[in-house]
Amino acid sequence: MTLEELREAADAIRSEIGKAVQGQDGIIDMLMIALFSSGHVLLEGPPGTAKTLLARSFAATVELDFGRIQFTPDLMPGDVLGASIFEFKTSEFKLVKGPVFSQILLADEINRAPPKTQAALLQAMNERTVTIDNETHSLGENFFVIATQNPIEQQGTYPLPEAQLDRFLFKLLVDFPSEADEMNILRHHAAQPLDTNARTAALSAMAQSETLTAGRALIDEIRLEDAILGYILRLVRATRSDPEITHGASTRAAAALAAATRAAAALEGRDFAIPDDVKRLFIPALQHRIVLGPTAEIEGRTAADLLDNILNQIEAPR
C-alpha cells in the first residue's frame, strides 16, 4: 500500500459513513485518525446526536466485529470481560467471553458504571489484552473503544478517573447538527424503513483488517521533524505553566499527540506533518488530560478555551 492508496481508502470510508451519519464530518475525521493510530475515543454529547450510529457505521465500513455495552450502576466487571462457567456435563470450566471481545466496542454512557467496572477496561484499552482467572487473552490489534458520556445528566454517575481518561487518544464533543444538516437527516430517515438497523444495513465495507494493518505500517514509517516535535513540546509544556490549569498534560499526552499527528498526515497522503496537523489535534488530544483551576471554573471557562488560548500564544514553526 502507498500513501496515496491509504488516502483513497480513508476517503472511501468517510464517504460511506456519510451515507448514514450527516453533519458530523469533523468527528468522523477524528475517529479515522484514532482508528489508524491505535487510539481510543471518548465522545461527549447529548442523547440523539448519532454517537451510537457513528460506532455502528464505522464497524460496518471497515468490516470489523461490533460490540456494545450499556453501562449501568449495577454492571459488574464480569459483565464486561466475561467469566469461567462450570459445565456439569463435562465437569469443566468454560470461558464465556464478554462483550469486550469485539473489534469495535461501544462503551455507552461509561460514566454510569461504578469505578471497579470502569477499571476493568483499563488493561483492555492499554494492552489490548484481558486477564480472566490468571489467563491472558488477546483482543487483537484492531481493538478500538468508542466510549460515550452524557454531559446533561450527572445524577448517579461516576466521573472517570484520570488514569482511564489518559487511555483515550481524543475526547470529542458531539454537538447538534446545523439546521440544513438536520433537515437532510430527516429527509434521509423519512425515505427509509422504520427499522433502526436499516441505517447501517446499506453500508458497504470499504476496508478490511488488512487495510488497517497496512495503513498502520505506513504511519509507523513517518518521522516527525524536530521543528514539529518542538512545537508539540512547547504546547504541552505551556499547559503546565498556565496559571488557570492546576495539572498540565503529561509526557504521555505529548507522545499521543505526536502519534496522532503522524496518522493525520498519512491519511492526507503526506509523508510529512505540518503545523496545521498539530493545531487541529491539540484540543481533542489534550482537553481531557488537564485539570482546570478554580479561577477558570468560576469564570465558566472550559478546557478547550484554555487550550485555544495556548495555541494562540505559542508560535508555530514556519
Side-chain angles (χ1 to χ4, degrees), residues 120-198:
L121 279 178
L122 274 176
Q123 180 188 14
M125 293 174 63
N126 192 46
E127 303 173 13
R128 286 177 167 76
T129 59
V130 166
T131 301
I132 303 173
D133 293 338
N134 296 322
E135 186 174 351
T136 300
H137 307 270
S138 174
L139 297 175
E141 63 176 359
N142 292 324
F143 180 68
F144 179 41
V145 174
I146 301 176
T148 71
Q149 286 190 146
N150 179 357
I152 299 175
E153 299 176 4
Q154 297 300 323
Q155 186 174 3
T157 62
Y158 303 84
L160 290 174
E162 293 179 10
Q164 186 158 8
L165 280 175
D166 206 35
R167 297 303 193 272
F168 289 102
L169 176 60
F170 296 140
K171 178 182 177 181
L172 306 176
L173 304 182
V174 184
D175 203 354
F176 294 110
S178 66
E179 183 177 354
D181 286 330
E182 203 158 11
M183 176 56 79
N184 288 333
I185 292 170
L186 292 179
R187 288 196 187 105
H188 185 64
H189 288 180
Q192 288 183 328
L194 294 181
D195 182 8
T196 55
N197 292 327

Side-chain angles (χ1 to χ4, degrees), residues 31-51:
L31 286 172
M32 286 286 299
I33 293 170
L35 179 64
F36 275 94
S37 55
S38 300
H40 307 288
V41 174
L42 177 63
L43 300 179
E44 183 173 284
T49 48
K51 299 185 294 295

